[in-house]
Amino acid sequence: MQPKPEVNKQIDLQIVKDNTEPVCYRCGSSEYHKRGLTKAGKQRYFCLDCRRYFADDVDYTNCKPNYLKLGDDVWDASVLGVKTRIYSQETKLVFLYFKQNWLKDTVKKFIRYKASNTSFRQLQKYIQKLGEFSKFLEIYYPLITFESLTRKVMIDFIDFLNQKKLNNETKNQYLGTINIFFETGKMNSWFDVPAYLIKPEDYGKLTKHLPRYIPEEVMQQLNQHLEALPESVMRMVLVLQETGLRIGELLQLPMNCLKFDAKGGAYIQYMNWKMSKEDTKPISMELAKTIKEQENYIRQHLEQDFEYLFCARKTGKYRDRNTFYPKAKVMDDKAFIKFLKQLTEDFDIKDNSGKRWNFESHQFRHTVGTRMVNLGVPFHIIQRYLGHESPQMTMTYAHIHDETLRKEVEKYHESRVVNFQGETSELDETILSSNDDLEWFKKNVQARALEHGYCARPKVLGDCDIPGFDGCYNCPHWRTNKNFIPILKDTLERTNNVLEKAQNCGWQLQVHKNTPIKENLEKVIKILEADND
């Protein structure tokens, strides 16, 4: 029997490999078979590689870009010199969803321009936000160009965003991205658009959210059951608890991250991805010992060329939730948090409300910032320790517990200083705590402790010429606080007796002199006693 000749399936299936033709957005294959039309009347295809359907009207914003083949509209981050996080599988920048060539080409210029000082994740966000603007223009202004962009177009775009019911933070990100794009384009003479297409009042008011810190009762339960975690994961949690590193910074800690200064103090060296620089932060000797143990663990289980402190876990036939088989690969952030979620289920870790806690990696960072604030660490120290670029970022993370806030308010009222009108006045700590003449004369103010408060008369005015202490109650330089309430009450009682006798005897001079003293004393005592309550 003669063998049957082979059939050229590629010809039978009409495979199209022209780069201008659509590709499967799931696997990047250009091998497909046409399979009719979608309900929207668009051509539908069947991918011969991943055996799934795709169509011409696919929304590429929701696809996984790593499956796409490189080309004019799919860039690899490495070509731009942009570093991607090793534990992340995303490495590509996709421009497929831009419908206007004039906009797509300019966005590509914008991304190249920004690539030198912008993170890969931020570049992705730029493309996604500008892609949504492209989608809006295609629907409502299909014939528009840069030259015909007006304020009305932007108002319609804002309405387009509002119809999506986005929160103000997300909407502001869209407007901010487009505004940066416009400013960059005008600055580089790529195009010319009218000024103030986007105005400050277009941005929505943001709601200030409290930081997502881990409550102490949850942290206690976590630490109680830490040993149930694989030893490598347990050490990751200990590093996060003390340092507040971002999850990407933790997962990519190098084997040689532990450093010591000349005095023997321990430091951890890491890559601050947000600020694109290497940074260090001091750590305890206990954590330094933990890191040493992890170094030994990696050397024992993996080959010498693995350069990271923490590793991934083998899967497949090695998948056993009770055993951690090390793999020479950086762990994924989702895999790390999965260990904590499993621990929560196993030991029913709950907060005080009885709700099972949902761990997120960034909560450890918020917790470190919150604890430092509650311990009274200065904000500029917290900013430096957490690696924040601006004080505003530190203020976002910092949250003062109600108990700490109450104590701080009590402390304020304890030391609050008022003048003769009962108004809060500033008085240096050196004045309240001591009579240090050097500190006082540095301020050119002559400090003098009085039986009912302090004298804050500036030195340039010379010596005080008010006779007796009673004259202080009408003097703008007199200061007092709640510590002097007993003396002030005694003085008020004495002043009332003098006034009563003066009124009975018709001594108008004494009435005129003591009435303001009485009124000022009553005002000051009322303010200070309100602080007490």
Side-chain angles (χ1 to χ4, degrees):
M1 239 178 121
Q2 294 288 333
K4 290 184 179 181
E6 292 186 4
V7 178
N8 190 335
K9 295 183 179 179
Q10 290 184 335
I11 295 176
D12 291 343
L13 295 176
Q14 299 177 350
I15 293 176
V16 181
K17 293 189 177 181
D18 188 347
N19 288 334
T20 62
E21 292 289 334
V23 294
C24 175
Y25 74 92
R26 293 189 177 91
C27 69
S29 172
S30 59
E31 297 186 350
Y32 57 82
H33 184 202
K34 290 184 178 180
R35 288 286 179 89
L37 303 178
T38 66
K39 291 182 179 180
K42 302 289 185 179
Q43 181 64 56
R44 186 170 67 163
Y45 307 93
F46 179 72
C47 178
L48 300 180
D49 285 338
C50 70
R51 316 295 293 177
R52 300 176 73 177
Y53 289 96
F54 66 98
D56 281 339
D57 58 346
V58 64
D59 181 4
Y60 283 102
T61 60
N62 296 321
C63 77
K64 293 184 179 298
N66 257 31
Y67 293 130
L68 295 169
K69 291 186 177 180
L70 296 177
D72 289 342
D73 292 338
V74 182
W75 296 357
D76 192 276
S78 61
V79 176
L80 297 176
V82 178
K83 291 183 178 180
T84 57
R85 299 178 182 182
I86 296 171
Y87 66 89
S88 174
Q89 296 180 353
E90 295 185 42
T91 62
K92 294 176 183 170
L93 300 169
V94 183
F95 301 89
L96 290 169
Y97 38 82
F98 287 91
K99 304 301 182 182
Q100 307 84 356
N101 289 331
W102 58 270
L103 181 57
K104 181 196 296 185
D105 293 341
T106 314
V107 170
K108 289 178 178 178
K109 287 183 182 179
F110 174 73
I111 294 301
R112 285 186 182 278
Y113 179 83
K114 286 288 185 181
S116 61
N117 59 1
T118 306
S119 69
F120 172 73
R121 183 67 185 127
Q122 185 59 49
L123 292 177
Q124 283 186 314
K125 289 180 179 179
Y126 282 153
I127 295 173
Q128 189 268 329
K129 300 295 188 297
L130 292 169
E132 192 69 19
F133 184 57
S134 171
K135 183 178 179 181
F136 157 77
L137 293 179
E138 183 192 18
I139 297 172
Y140 297 99
Y141 295 91
L143 302 178
I144 202 169
T145 61
F146 278 122
E147 291 73 18
S148 50
L149 281 174
T150 63
R151 172 67 178 160
K152 180 183 182 304
V153 175
M154 299 314 303
I155 292 175
D156 289 343
F157 178 65
I158 293 171
D159 182 59
F160 175 76
L161 295 177
N162 289 336
Q163 290 177 20
K164 291 179 172 291
K165 301 188 183 301
L166 304 174
N167 59 43
N168 283 347
E169 183 176 1
T170 303
K171 187 173 73 172
N172 290 353
Q173 289 174 1
Y174 278 100
L175 296 178
T177 297
I178 295 172
N179 199 35
I180 293 172
F181 175 66
F182 286 160
E183 290 177 353
T184 305
K186 290 184 67 175
M187 180 181 66
N188 290 284
S189 301
W190 298 337
F191 53 78
D192 189 23
V193 294
Y196 304 113
L197 285 179
I198 298 176
K199 297 186 177 182
E201 56 265 29
D202 295 336
Y203 294 89
K205 186 176 182 181
L206 296 179
T207 302
K208 293 184 178 180
H209 300 286
L210 293 176
R212 298 165 293 163
Y213 66 92
I214 303 173
E216 289 301 324
E217 69 273 12
V218 174
M219 193 69 82
Q220 289 175 5
Q221 295 173 71
L222 172 63
N223 290 331
Q224 182 181 352
H225 303 296
L226 267 184
E227 293 185 357
L229 291 170
E231 58 179 305
S232 184
V233 179
M234 176 187 68
R235 295 185 188 112
M236 294 171 77
V237 174
L238 292 174
V239 173
L240 284 182
Q241 282 193 30
E242 179 170 327
T243 64
L245 288 173
R246 301 177 181 92
I247 186 63
E249 296 165 351
L250 172 77
L251 296 176
Q252 296 185 80
L253 283 174
M255 273 287 283
N256 61 345
C257 65
L258 184 61
K259 308 292 181 182
F260 294 91
D261 60 19
K263 297 181 180 180
Y267 288 79
I268 191 169
Q269 183 173 315
Y270 66 100
M271 182 65 184
N272 185 329
W273 284 96
K274 279 210 169 182
M275 298 176 68
S276 298
K277 68 171 186 177
E278 280 195 337
D279 212 340
T280 59
K281 61 177 64 182
I283 59 173
S284 66
M285 295 308 296
E286 290 79 7
L287 186 60
K289 181 181 177 182
T290 300
I291 292 175
K292 280 287 187 184
E293 292 172 352
Q294 180 62 23
E295 289 177 358
N296 294 332
Y297 175 89
I298 293 295
R299 291 191 184 100
Q300 290 172 10
H301 293 87
L302 297 176
E303 296 179 2
Q304 295 296 320
D305 59 349
F306 187 70
E307 54 185 334
Y308 297 99
L309 184 64
F310 298 106
C311 64
R313 173 191 192 180
K314 287 184 179 179
T315 56
K317 65 179 181 179
Y318 297 98
R319 193 170 185 82
D320 176 6
R321 67 182 296 262
N322 297 317
T323 308
F324 188 94
Y325 295 97
K327 181 179 180 180
K329 180 183 176 183
V330 174
M331 181 182 290
D332 183 82
D333 55 339
K334 294 177 183 176
F336 166 72
I337 209 65
K338 190 174 181 180
F339 283 107
L340 295 185
K341 290 183 183 295
Q342 187 62 55
L343 187 76
T344 304
E345 292 178 9
D346 292 344
F347 295 97
D348 198 22
I349 298 177
K350 298 179 179 179
D351 59 16
N352 282 337
S353 68
K355 184 178 179 181
R356 182 173 287 176
W357 189 255
N358 182 33
F359 280 103
E360 297 175 6
S361 58
H362 212 68
Q363 291 171 349
F364 291 96
R365 185 169 176 81
H366 286 250
T367 304
V368 171
T370 300
R371 282 177 168 176
M372 294 178 80
V373 170
N374 286 307
L375 290 172
V377 179
F379 272 89
H380 70 280
I381 299 296
I382 301 175
Q383 178 185 346
R384 171 69 180 83
Y385 188 79
L386 292 179
H388 289 156
E389 193 169 5
S390 66
Q392 288 75 20
M393 294 174 67
T394 307
M395 293 300 295
T396 301
Y397 285 88
H399 168 66
I400 301 179
H401 287 299
D402 292 339
E403 180 67 17
T404 304
L405 182 61
R406 183 182 65 79
K407 290 180 180 178
E408 288 299 316
V409 172
E410 288 180 353
K411 181 180 176 182
Y412 162 73
H413 286 313
E414 287 287 341
S415 59
R416 186 183 181 195
V417 178
V418 299
N419 61 16
F420 74 109
Q421 291 292 329
E423 301 166 340
T424 301
S425 298
E426 295 294 331
L427 193 62
D428 288 350
E429 180 65 24
T430 51
I431 303 171
L432 290 172
S433 59
S434 70
N435 287 326
D436 190 331
D437 289 338
L438 178 60
E439 289 293 333
W440 190 238
F441 283 113
K442 282 181 181 178
K443 298 287 186 181
N444 286 323
V445 181
Q446 49 185 5
R448 187 157 67 95
L450 308 173
E451 67 175 18
H452 49 23
Y454 310 93
C455 177
R457 180 182 175 87
K459 180 178 176 61
V460 294
L461 297 181
D463 295 333
C464 178
D465 55 0
I466 297 177
F469 288 137
D470 287 347
C472 296
Y473 299 120
N474 291 323
C475 177
H477 304 304
W478 174 60
R479 303 288 185 269
T480 191
N481 62 26
K482 60 180 292 184
N483 296 322
F484 297 94
I485 287 179
I487 296 174
L488 299 178
K489 284 186 172 181
D490 183 64
T491 305
L492 177 60
E493 182 180 358
R494 194 172 65 248
T495 302
N496 285 332
N497 292 335
V498 170
L499 271 174
E500 183 180 359
K501 186 171 183 178
Q503 289 168 347
N504 291 336
C505 297
W507 297 339
Q508 294 302 317
L509 180 61
Q510 291 296 325
V511 171
H512 180 73
K513 177 182 177 181
N514 285 278
T515 298
I517 295 176
K518 172 182 179 296
E519 293 173 348
N520 289 340
L521 281 169
E522 288 176 340
K523 191 183 301 181
V524 169
I525 291 171
K526 181 180 179 181
I527 293 294
L528 294 178
E529 285 189 328
D531 287 349
N532 258 338
D533 296 336

